[in-house]
Amino acid sequence: IHGKLGKPGAADPLGVHGIYQRRATPNGKRIVKMKFYTPANPQTTAQQANRAKFAAAMAGWGSLTTEQKSEYNERARGRGLYGWNLYIREYYQNH
C-alpha cells in the first residue's frame, strides 16, 4: 500500500508518515502520532463462516429488484437504518 500514510518499514526521513489522532487533555487538545500495527486476522472457522454468510447476504441484496429494495428502504426509514442494513439483519436472523 502506497500513499500519504506510507507503510511500515518504508523510508520516512522526516518522520511524518502515519496515522494521527487528536486527544483531549486537561491543557487542551493534543495531536498524537499512532504506532504502525498489523491487525490480527486469525481466520478461524467461525470467522470464515460469518464472512461467507455476510457475502451471501450481500449477494442476496444485490439480486433484489428495485421495488423490493424500495420496500426495505421504507421499512428501515422508521428505524433509522438503510434498507440494506435491515435486509442483512433479517438475513442473519433467518439463516
Side-chain angles (χ1 to χ4, degrees):
I1 300 172
H2 297 281
K4 294 181 181 179
L5 298 177
K7 67 177 188 175
D12 184 15
L14 299 177
V16 295
H17 291 170
I19 298 173
Y20 293 82
Q21 186 177 61
R22 189 181 328 181
R23 295 184 182 166
T25 67
N27 298 327
K29 294 191 176 157
R30 185 174 153 224
I31 305 291
V32 177
K33 182 178 175 184
M34 310 277 296
K35 288 186 176 183
F36 277 112
Y37 69 94
T38 303
N41 185 13
Q43 297 188 1
T44 62
T45 304
Q47 182 190 51
Q48 295 303 318
N50 190 50
R51 287 179 176 175
K53 191 176 192 179
F54 183 76
M58 290 305 294
W61 172 257
S63 67
L64 294 179
T65 65
T66 305
E67 292 79 23
Q68 290 170 318
K69 288 180 181 181
S70 294
E71 290 176 23
Y72 274 101
N73 287 328
E74 284 296 320
R75 289 178 43 216
R77 186 169 291 138
R79 301 176 188 198
L81 299 172
Y82 292 106
W84 63 272
N85 291 123
L86 181 60
Y87 178 83
I88 301 252
R89 176 190 285 180
E90 291 179 356
Y91 186 93
Y92 266 73
Q93 289 172 347
N94 295 324
H95 292 88

